[in-house]
Amino acid sequence: CPLTPLLFFHSVGDLQRACHANEVKNGDTVYFNGGSLMWKRSSIMEAAERGCCGAIDADINDAYGNDRDGVSRSPRAGTGGAGGGNYSFQPYAYPRAALSDWERVMCKATIEDYRKHFNLKIGVYVQEFSISAEALDALSVFVNKHGDIYDQGLAFGGVNGTAVKNIHGDGYWNQRYMGRSWDFVARPSKEMTPLKPEDHHLVQKAIQAGAWGQVGTIYEVMDEKAGALTVPPPREPCNLVNTERIFF
């Protein structure tokens, strides 16, 4: 039987940019690191180390208030009261109907809007060696609660239902230094154009120059202004119909 092609991204922001660059097509199955959806409340010590005011978290929490489940959101707690602890989820991770009026003004589109626009099948993964039990619990509950969006679930390569003790982190690890942030102003449209074209094409050129260049490029677009850069055809023809497609 035919294999299902999968597209992998560092972050949900990378997925958003690929959609605008016409590198994602209708019906694609996509995965990105679920840590890019999360936000962790800073401790006083962590805030002090960054030179930030410890009251910033409280101010954000007051702005968002409490959700309909009675759980404080800072920006938004995604577990509905089950686990999660200090981990919360960004507004763009939620169904649009769950956002407040203020959040809808601030966040023009959520991942749900892109799922509907491209008829995507969405899943998330994590770096298993860098995710705490608390973060894994928060992400698992969140994905299960919003299964209409994340219908491919959470890909976790560890023992089912088990996390290693004494591990700290959200599973995003060093991908946070490569993955791009969500663009709060962008939204799906009939005519999609790249977000920050110079940045996008710089990344594409770097991918093509590497050893994984031919695998890392998704869809060819003849006009460089319209999306992905055109990849020269391989010297020897090969059948890529059932080949997994990976994008970094």
Side-chain angles (χ1 to χ4, degrees):
C1 77
L3 300 177
T4 300
L6 306 177
L7 307 183
F8 281 86
F9 300 90
H10 286 303
S11 69
V12 65
D14 287 335
L15 169 60
Q16 182 190 35
R17 281 163 172 73
C19 288
H20 282 271
N22 299 299
E23 293 174 337
V24 173
K25 303 300 181 182
N26 183 68
D28 274 346
T29 300
V30 299
Y31 280 80
F32 56 83
N33 193 308
S36 63
L37 297 174
M38 303 176 73
W39 180 88
K40 185 177 184 297
R41 176 188 292 274
S42 300
S43 67
I44 295 178
M45 288 299 296
E46 290 171 336
E49 289 174 357
R50 292 198 302 266
C52 301
C53 175
I56 290 179
D57 289 332
D59 293 338
I60 294 176
N61 190 55
D62 291 340
Y64 279 86
N66 296 328
D67 70 358
R68 60 195 55 156
D69 297 320
V71 180
S72 177
R73 300 193 169 197
S74 184
R76 295 180 70 87
T79 60
N86 291 324
Y87 286 94
S88 303
F89 290 84
Q90 299 286 354
Y92 49 76
Y94 284 84
R96 189 156 188 79
L99 302 185
S100 66
D101 292 340
W102 182 83
E103 288 169 326
R104 292 180 188 180
V105 172
M106 184 267 294
C107 186
K108 301 302 182 183
T110 71
I111 185 64
E112 180 188 46
D113 295 310
Y114 288 87
R115 184 193 68 79
K116 291 180 177 179
H117 187 83
F118 288 95
N119 189 30
L120 298 177
K121 300 175 180 63
I122 300 175
V124 299
Y125 66 88
V126 293
Q127 300 293 344
E128 291 84 357
F129 57 83
S130 69
I131 188 168
S132 67
E134 181 186 31
L136 180 60
D137 179 57
L139 186 59
S140 299
V141 174
F142 181 84
V143 168
N144 287 331
K145 182 177 180 180
H146 300 289
D148 289 344
I149 300 177
Y150 308 99
D151 58 344
Q152 300 301 295
L154 168 63
F156 182 71
V159 178
N160 186 29
T162 303
V164 179
K165 293 182 179 179
N166 301 321
I167 291 182
H168 303 282
D170 54 11
Y172 202 7
W173 199 50
N174 286 347
Q175 286 181 282
R176 72 181 72 253
Y177 303 116
M178 296 175 281
R180 286 163 289 186
S181 300
W182 185 265
D183 190 322
F184 282 81
V185 179
R187 66 179 70 181
S189 61
K190 185 176 181 180
E191 298 295 332
M192 302 285 276
T193 57
L195 304 175
K196 299 181 180 178
E198 296 80 6
D199 170 68
H200 178 77
H201 293 313
L202 179 64
V203 173
Q204 290 288 43
K205 289 178 180 178
I207 292 174
Q208 292 180 24
W212 287 77
Q214 295 297 320
V215 180
T217 302
I218 312 304
Y219 293 109
E220 295 183 18
V221 178
M222 298 305 295
D223 184 357
E224 185 170 318
K225 295 181 180 180
L229 299 177
T230 303
V231 180
R235 295 180 180 179
E236 297 182 3
C238 57
N239 182 11
L240 298 178
V241 174
N242 293 329
T243 301
E244 180 180 284
R245 293 173 284 135
I246 304 178
F247 175 79
F248 296 96

